[in-house]
């Protein structure tokens, strides 16, 4: 997940990282999704820069991985059949909405708190308005990469889990 963010360094906010974290949450369970999300954000920031925003990114990614695992684990990870793109669509839509609303909310709270010790509704509106474009790009990337990667990654992780009795 962290390497996937670095692979798309040339396109800001367009990264497969959140989609991969959510797929991990589905494949390995919500707790693993939480851990992978937090660690991926931390590790990827060694390339992108650590700072006081890093814990907020870690929490946001961890929550995305946890929720995906919590909601979709039973639906996608349990059976041995191939999963069609049509079946992945609800998960992809969930991923996009979660990134736009929840990830954006958590990370934008950091921005608001960094701007002023006494936030006003005008500050909140300005930050969320300015961040909407970046959150939309991140959400669109999450939808695209979930649609492209979910079925093959779920299949491969399922095979590894079966082979090693996990």
């Amino acid at each position: 997940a962290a390497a996937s963010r670095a692979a798309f360094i040339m396109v800001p906010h367009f990264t497969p990282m959140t989609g991969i974290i959510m797929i991990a949450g589905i494949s390995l369970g919500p707790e693993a999704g939480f851990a992978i999300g937090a660690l991926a954000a931390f590790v990827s920031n060694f390339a992108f820069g650590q700072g006081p925003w890093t814990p907020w990114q870690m929490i946001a990614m961890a929550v995305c991985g946890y929720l995906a695992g919590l909601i979709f684990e039973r639906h996608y990870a349990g059976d041995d059949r191939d999963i069609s793109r049509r079946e992945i669509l609800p998960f992809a839509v969930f991923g996009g909405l979660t990134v736009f609303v929840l990830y954006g909310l958590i990370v934008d709270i950091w921005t608001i708190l960094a701007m002023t010790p006494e936030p006003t509704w005008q500050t909140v509106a300005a930050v969320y308005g300015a961040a909407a474009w970046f959150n939309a790009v991140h959400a669109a990337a999450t939808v695209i990469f979930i649609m492209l990667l979910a079925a093959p990654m779920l299949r491969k992780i399922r095979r590894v889990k079966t082979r090693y009795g996990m």
Side-chain angles (χ1 to χ4, degrees):
S4 74
R5 183 177 178 202
F8 283 81
I9 194 169
M10 67 296 228
V11 189
H13 304 285
F14 190 86
T15 171
M17 186 164 92
T18 312
I20 291 171
I21 290 166
M22 292 177 136
I23 293 167
I26 289 173
S27 300
L28 304 170
E31 295 86 1
F34 185 92
I36 291 166
L39 287 172
F42 180 69
V43 170
S44 71
N45 276 356
F46 282 106
F48 289 90
Q50 300 286 353
W53 55 84
T54 300
W56 296 87
Q57 290 174 324
M58 291 172 65
I59 292 166
M61 290 288 182
V63 168
C64 288
Y66 182 82
L67 286 177
L70 189 67
I71 294 170
F72 290 100
E73 178 184 24
R74 288 191 180 102
H75 183 72
Y76 293 116
D79 49 22
D80 290 329
R81 64 183 173 76
D82 281 343
I83 300 167
S84 70
R85 289 199 195 277
R86 187 169 164 219
E87 291 177 283
I88 295 295
L89 188 59
F91 169 45
V93 169
F94 168 81
L97 289 173
T98 302
V99 166
F100 186 79
V101 175
L102 195 58
Y103 179 89
L105 175 71
I106 293 169
V107 173
D108 293 342
I109 287 172
W110 143 251
T111 307
I112 293 166
L113 294 176
M115 287 177 66
T116 178
E118 297 178 25
T120 64
W121 287 112
Q122 291 82 8
T123 307
V124 172
V127 169
Y128 286 129
W133 169 252
F134 300 104
N135 292 332
V137 170
H138 188 180
T142 301
V143 170
I144 290 167
F145 285 110
I146 286 175
M147 291 300 293
L148 292 173
L149 300 175
M153 287 184 74
L154 289 169
R155 190 171 40 253
K156 288 177 187 354
I157 294 171
R158 187 183 314 127
R159 193 176 86 211
V160 168
K161 286 171 62 176
T162 302
R163 181 175 179 150
Y164 293 105
M166 297 170 68

